[in-house]
Amino acid sequence: MKYVYASRTGNVESLIQKLGLDAQRIDSGSETCDDDYVLFTYTDGYGDIPMEVDSFLMANYNHLTGVVVSGSRDYGDAYCQAGDKIADMYDVPVLYKVENDGTDEDVTALKAALDL
């Protein structure tokens, strides 16, 4: 399984590092992935899918198997909503929702969920 991520503020990148994953970074959205992958993303604005992630998914959705999403509970109902939107659009599960870069408990739970 491959892992692909987008990180603007560093929270998702920090989570990737905590998990010890060798992951492909989405910078512009023009990147490609020809293998099955789990997407790690942040939530933009008030529950929006980041623009570069949206562009990436348009070309690479057929290999998407699930999404892990970061957000801030300060946004209330919009917390991690990008993951919910991606899951609905591409019929994949939200594997985990994490606040910012996650706690040690989140890392342990994610490792179990991803079978790492």
Side-chain angles (χ1 to χ4, degrees), residues 34-62:
D34 295 328
D35 299 305
D36 288 348
Y37 67 92
V38 171
L39 173 68
F40 285 72
T41 187
Y42 61 97
T43 299
D44 204 12
Y46 193 75
D48 299 324
I49 299 170
M51 184 173 45
E52 70 275 17
V53 172
D54 199 31
S55 295
F56 176 83
L57 286 171
M58 283 186 219
N60 299 281
Y61 69 89
N62 52 330

Side-chain angles (χ1 to χ4, degrees), residues 61-113:
Y61 69 89
N62 52 330
H63 292 290
L64 178 64
T65 61
V67 62
V68 175
V69 60
S70 170
S72 172
R73 293 189 192 279
D74 292 342
Y75 285 90
D77 291 343
Y79 173 68
C80 291
Q81 219 173 51
D84 296 331
K85 290 177 181 179
I86 291 167
D88 287 343
M89 289 171 68
Y90 298 104
D91 195 28
V92 296
V94 174
L95 301 171
Y96 203 83
K97 292 181 178 183
V98 61
E99 172 124 16
N100 300 317
D101 68 343
T103 63
D104 291 341
E105 291 81 16
D106 290 324
V107 171
T108 300
L110 260 169
K111 284 183 176 181

